[in-house]
Amino acid sequence: MYQTIVTLKKGEGRSLKAGGMWIYDNEIDSVMGNFENGDVVEVRDFDGYCMGFGYINTRSKITVRMLSRKKDTVIDATFVEQRVRDAWEYRKQTIDISSCRLIFGEADFLPGIVVDKFSDVLVVESLALGIDRWKFVIVDSLKKVLAEDGIFIRGVYERSDAKVRLQEGMERSKGFIGEPFDTKVEIVENGVKYIVDVEDGQKTGFFLDQKNNRAAIHRFCKGKKVLDCFTHTGSFALNAGIAGAASVLGVDASQLAVDQATENARLNGLENIVKFQCADVFELLPELEAKGEQFDVVILDPPAFTKSRNSIKNAVKGYREINLRGLKLVRDGGFLVTCSCSHFMDPDLFAKTIREAATGAHKRLRQVEFRTQACDHPILWAADQSYYLKFYIFQACEDK
């Protein structure tokens, strides 16, 4: 059916056979047939057994990303629409759909693309050549499927400006898909109002993956003094404020983020309780410690300190330092909320790093909760690239 056949080396494709979605260049024995990068190809094992279908890009180390394992699959607009329907049905059953991630790449069997819904706006991030050919079909399918449930999308914005596109031989791009619209979008999550900047905010404009984790801090914050580090546009800080915190300080190195966070505080009537400061967290925490500051709740939500295996050692140092400094600012019996959004900082290594930080800070940790990303960012087992967020809540006690 397909013009090109990719054949695996004998003994290779172990991840694929275990349920994974990727085939690397060093796993391939041969590519037979004429093709252009981005085309759909058939994948066969070394003995000719059909493993399924995916799209190819020889410029990428991930040479094939799988779309289907069924031998009789036809990859067309009908196929894509069904994938979209399945993704939407899953969200309706598992999460608040007012704002959520609609498509999460491999975990929704549409590898290489992310689509977020912010109220009545969609934001698309296309990261791979093969799926880029289908992005308009995906967008049209989403509009159609959501309209069937009475949800009408007023605008779509593309944020395909990540560096990873360069590895696929693609240019970085951003802009409207369809008619222009106001790119400052108001959403409500956990009772908190935000203005999401889908044009210039980080990634797609807002980090939806922490939705349930932000809600989880509410019960620890009433009447408390809270410090929120790496606050971005203020999401954890504002959740603490809505939950009844006595005072909240949010810190971020970006003045733009701090300005947006301050605007969000005003939007929620929290400007007298939730304050924001533009500062380097690594520099500010020792200063607060030197002043004798103590907080009931310290929240650490840093950006990924590593995006590759090569920089793990430096990332560990960063996570250890920030957790040690954070713990020194938690009063006896207070709470540390800490997380890592780096896929390469695996759960065991992250736990080990926190344990070392606690030893250095002379604190004993009692685990209250361990959580991961919200369920609109599903973790597809055997495709471990979909699992990246680790989130802990600890009670921090002095050595007793």
Side-chain angles (χ1 to χ4, degrees), residues 136-175:
F136 298 119
V137 176
I138 291 170
V139 167
D140 288 343
S141 296
L142 280 168
K143 287 181 175 180
K144 175 183 176 182
V145 170
L146 269 60
E148 291 172 2
D149 282 331
I151 299 170
F152 299 98
I153 299 302
R154 70 178 170 91
V156 183
Y157 198 84
E158 181 169 11
R159 286 295 304 271
S160 300
D161 49 357
K163 287 183 180 179
V164 70
R165 280 175 66 95
L166 302 177
Q167 299 170 17
E168 290 273 318
M170 306 162 68
E171 293 183 357
R172 300 161 77 178
S173 64
K174 59 184 289 189

Side-chain angles (χ1 to χ4, degrees), residues 232 254-264 266 276:
H232 188 225
S254 165
Q255 186 62 55
L256 175 62
V258 166
D259 291 343
Q260 291 175 330
T262 302
E263 181 183 358
N264 286 330
R266 286 195 293 267
F276 296 98

Side-chain angles (χ1 to χ4, degrees), residues 16 37 51 54-55 89 124 126 159 168 174 230 237 275 288-289 311 333 358 369 396:
L16 175 67
N37 281 325
M51 304 291 291
Y55 56 79
E89 287 301 318
V124 179
S126 172
R159 286 295 304 271
E168 290 273 318
K174 59 184 289 189
F230 311 98
K275 305 289 187 180
L288 293 175
E289 181 188 345
S311 55
E369 284 197 53

Side-chain angles (χ1 to χ4, degrees), residues 224-286:
K224 301 298 175 62
K225 181 181 178 182
V226 180
L227 174 65
D228 176 24
C229 301
F230 311 98
T231 192
H232 188 225
T233 53
S235 56
F236 274 105
L238 294 168
N239 273 268
I242 284 287
S247 69
V248 184
L249 174 61
V251 183
D252 200 276
S254 165
Q255 186 62 55
L256 175 62
V258 166
D259 291 343
Q260 291 175 330
T262 302
E263 181 183 358
N264 286 330
R266 286 195 293 267
L267 187 65
N268 289 277
L270 294 171
E271 62 270 26
N272 295 325
I273 296 169
V274 184
K275 305 289 187 180
F276 296 98
Q277 180 177 345
C278 183
D280 183 318
V281 172
F282 284 94
E283 295 176 0
L284 180 65
L285 295 196

Side-chain angles (χ1 to χ4, degrees), residues 282 305-306 308-321 345 353:
F282 284 94
F305 288 156
T306 176
S308 74
R309 298 191 189 281
N310 298 330
S311 55
I312 283 287
K313 286 187 178 180
N314 286 335
V316 168
K317 290 179 183 177
Y319 284 113
R320 185 189 299 122
E321 173 71 9
M345 191 74 176
T353 303

Side-chain angles (χ1 to χ4, degrees), residues 53-239:
F53 305 93
Y55 56 79
I56 190 169
N57 187 354
T58 56
R59 294 177 179 177
S60 173
K61 282 189 172 295
I62 306 169
T63 304
V64 180
R65 298 175 191 248
M66 298 299 289
L67 288 164
S68 175
R69 294 167 181 272
K70 293 185 177 180
K71 188 175 181 180
D72 58 351
T73 301
V74 177
I75 310 296
D76 58 11
T78 301
F79 169 88
V80 170
E81 182 179 314
Q82 188 58 53
R83 284 281 194 265
V84 166
R85 286 186 179 279
D86 292 344
W88 176 236
E89 287 301 318
Y90 167 79
R91 269 75 186 173
K92 287 197 295 182
Q93 295 178 69
T94 57
I95 198 133
D96 165 29
I97 56 173
S98 60
S99 292
C100 66
R101 176 150 293 182
L102 296 177
I103 306 289
F104 186 43
E106 283 74 1
D108 284 304
F109 310 104
L110 286 169
I113 195 166
V114 164
V115 183
D116 285 342
K117 173 182 176 290
F118 298 111
S119 186
D120 56 356
V121 165
L122 301 183
V123 182
V124 179
E125 184 179 28
S126 172
L127 301 171
L129 180 60
I131 207 68
D132 207 61
R133 295 184 175 186
W134 293 98
K135 68 185 175 187
F136 298 119
V137 176
I138 291 170
V139 167
D140 288 343
S141 296
L142 280 168
K143 287 181 175 180
K144 175 183 176 182
V145 170
L146 269 60
E148 291 172 2
D149 282 331
I151 299 170
F152 299 98
I153 299 302
R154 70 178 170 91
V156 183
Y157 198 84
E158 181 169 11
R159 286 295 304 271
S160 300
D161 49 357
K163 287 183 180 179
V164 70
R165 280 175 66 95
L166 302 177
Q167 299 170 17
E168 290 273 318
M170 306 162 68
E171 293 183 357
R172 300 161 77 178
S173 64
K174 59 184 289 189
F176 295 101
I177 296 178
E179 292 298 314
F181 59 93
D182 184 355
T183 55
K184 301 288 182 66
V185 184
E186 183 174 326
I187 69 168
V188 180
E189 178 196 272
N190 301 333
V192 181
K193 299 174 185 176
Y194 302 92
I195 299 296
V196 176
D197 185 349
V198 301
E199 181 177 8
D200 294 319
Q202 288 188 34
K203 298 280 189 164
T204 61
F206 186 77
F207 297 112
L208 292 163
D209 51 4
Q210 293 272 31
K211 177 185 296 188
N212 297 337
N213 300 338
R214 289 188 279 261
I217 72 165
H218 283 211
R219 65 184 182 278
F220 305 106
C221 293
K222 187 173 184 180
K224 301 298 175 62
K225 181 181 178 182
V226 180
L227 174 65
D228 176 24
C229 301
F230 311 98
T231 192
H232 188 225
T233 53
S235 56
F236 274 105
L238 294 168
N239 273 268

